[in-house]
Amino acid sequence: MKNRIEVNGQTFSRTLFVLTLLIGTFCDMLNQTVMAVAQPKLMSTFSVSTATIQWLTTGFLLVMGIMVPITGWLTDRFNVKWLYIFSQLLFLTGTFLSFVAPSFGALLAGRLIQAAGSGIASPLTMTMLFAIFPPEKQGAAMGLMGIVFGLAPAIGPTFSGWMVDSFSWRYIFGLILPITMIVLVISLWTIKNVIPQRKTPLDILSVFESTVGFGSLLYGFSAAGNDGWLSGNVVIAILVGVAVIGFFGYRQLHITDPLLNLTPFKARNFTLGTLVGCGVMAAMIGFEIVLPMYLQIIRGLSAIDSGLSLLAGALVTALMSPIAGMAVDKYGAKRLLVIGMSILTIGTVPFAFVTTHTSIVAIIVLYAVRTFGISLSLMPASTLAFAAAPMNLMGHASANNNVARQIASAVATAVLVSVFANVTKANMPAKHLLNVDPLAYKHGAFDALLSGYHVAFWLTALMSLIGIGLALLAQERSATESVSDNTIATEQA
């Protein structure tokens, strides 16, 4: 890989540039699942319910999803070097607040500030990577990023389990603090302004619509865990969210300077690659929230043991992601996607049949099979999408792709947790049985919990199965999208 390169009038070391982005993105992505294993401990510490504690994850994903559309405009308008540094400063501030949080409210606030930084950094990183690599090397570049995108969320539960059992949940954030500080400092020298700027105005109404629309939608899905799917506030929130998102999309297609340019979706492979990526993220993030709960609550594992049970899968991701990236350049993204999504589905279905006696070794192996499928799917989906987008719209293409993934992850997490909570509640034995026959009540409660986990795992398998169908619809080579690319470029000009 050529080290010294010149992009947008900036000469710099591509190796140091990429290394800085990888470390920064690792910290950002780690925080998407780092709360998973810590949830039971935090529920006890702050005396909150399952549906409430999951806001530490869904709230994080929601704010990321809200920030991503604005990042498309920020990338156009501001020097991306200083924009990236600002994102890391936000993330550092949120991490520190989470580390010292005296209450659940303060912890949630810290998580949301973290998410604001991540929401800017995530699409910006993808845009900058595609700006510094030629088309024939973009698959390998995405493979490098795939290590981070796959490994960080996968290793999050192991890391948090170690912290919770050996030290304190606060050190989940305490160990991330110095790494983020280092990234912030070295970014001053290694990151360059590799994206040309243009002075586009900010459409305030679009910002309002995206915030209200996506916020209402996720709130509705999340509140269903406590209030039920047919409660008035849940139904109203979901309907308002869908309606406002519809207005937001319509506005983006009909104004001169959209907050989020939706034109890349006219390219077939961009749309399919984005949708498959949404399915992979939903199946990965949502699953990694639910599985540690099963391991700790049903199987009685400690936080660190439940995290270690997922470590083999994380190592598979680290090993396979760069290999998958190189394979994309050689064989094409579609083949890998179909194979990867099929493996992901096969590895997920057995979890819908777990019991109180299922072998932990079997769970470790099956989880590793799932992550193998994810490794063959996640970055190929991004490569398929971005290869179909014209370079002059890459910032908006990255924002589109990322906002879709973040919202899919947040909604999937909210749905899985709320479905689990509702199914468990519906199957719980009558309260009076606790006094009459405590042992029977305990067995009935465990059966109710298992019913909730089974439904959640079935939903995850369905997400993966849909992904296979979408991958089969993709065109094998991005060159077949040349007509779409020309149309997009002409319309943008």
Side-chain angles (χ1 to χ4, degrees), residues 108-343:
L108 180 59
R111 289 283 291 168
L112 299 184
I113 295 172
Q114 275 188 319
S118 293
I120 297 173
S122 185
L124 186 59
T125 296
M126 303 289 278
T127 303
M128 289 192 291
L129 273 180
F130 269 80
I132 65 173
F133 281 93
E136 67 274 11
K137 297 293 184 181
Q138 288 174 354
M142 294 306 291
L144 290 174
M145 189 55 65
I147 299 175
V148 172
F149 272 72
L151 178 61
I155 207 172
T158 305
F159 170 69
S160 62
W162 175 42
M163 290 296 101
V164 169
D165 275 3
S166 301
F167 304 98
S168 163
W169 63 264
R170 295 185 184 278
Y171 286 92
I172 294 173
F173 305 101
L175 287 189
I176 295 175
L177 274 173
I179 300 174
T180 306
M181 290 178 185
I182 292 171
V183 171
L184 185 61
V185 172
I186 65 175
S187 295
L188 294 169
W189 287 274
T190 59
I191 301 299
K192 304 297 180 181
N193 183 33
V194 295
I195 307 294
Q197 275 68 64
R198 61 190 185 97
K199 300 300 181 181
T200 55
L202 178 63
D203 185 55
I204 300 299
L205 181 57
S206 293
V207 175
F208 174 79
E209 288 176 342
S210 66
T211 302
V212 172
F214 294 125
S216 295
L217 185 68
L218 184 63
Y219 171 78
F221 281 113
S222 299
N226 276 330
D227 304 334
W229 288 98
L230 298 179
S231 66
N233 64 315
V234 170
V235 173
I236 291 172
I238 292 177
L239 291 178
V240 168
V242 171
V244 176
I245 290 172
F247 287 128
F248 171 76
Y250 180 84
R251 182 169 181 78
Q252 302 318 292
L253 293 172
H254 291 86
I255 60 176
T256 304
D257 294 297
L259 176 69
L260 190 63
N261 194 321
L262 303 179
T263 310
F265 282 109
K266 292 184 178 181
R268 176 191 181 97
N269 272 11
F270 180 82
T271 300
L272 291 172
T274 298
L275 289 175
V276 174
C278 287
V280 177
M281 288 296 291
M284 178 174 70
I285 301 297
F287 191 90
E288 288 170 2
I289 295 298
V290 176
L291 182 58
M293 294 168 62
Y294 161 79
L295 291 173
Q296 292 183 67
I297 296 173
I298 297 294
R299 304 309 305 275
L301 296 187
S302 65
I304 190 170
D305 285 342
S306 65
L308 287 172
S309 298
L310 310 183
L311 182 58
L315 297 177
V316 168
T317 301
L319 176 66
M320 287 305 303
S321 291
I323 296 175
M326 291 184 287
V328 168
D329 290 333
K330 187 172 183 179
Y331 300 109
K334 178 178 178 177
R335 293 179 186 177
L336 282 183
L337 277 177
V338 173
I339 295 172
M341 295 304 292
S342 298
I343 294 173

Side-chain angles (χ1 to χ4, degrees), residues 465-490:
L465 188 61
I466 292 172
I468 297 174
L470 293 172
L472 288 170
L473 295 175
Q475 295 169 329
E476 187 61 49
R477 294 185 302 170
S478 60
T480 60
E481 299 221 2
S482 57
V483 175
S484 297
D485 287 354
N486 291 336
T487 301
I488 293 171
T490 301

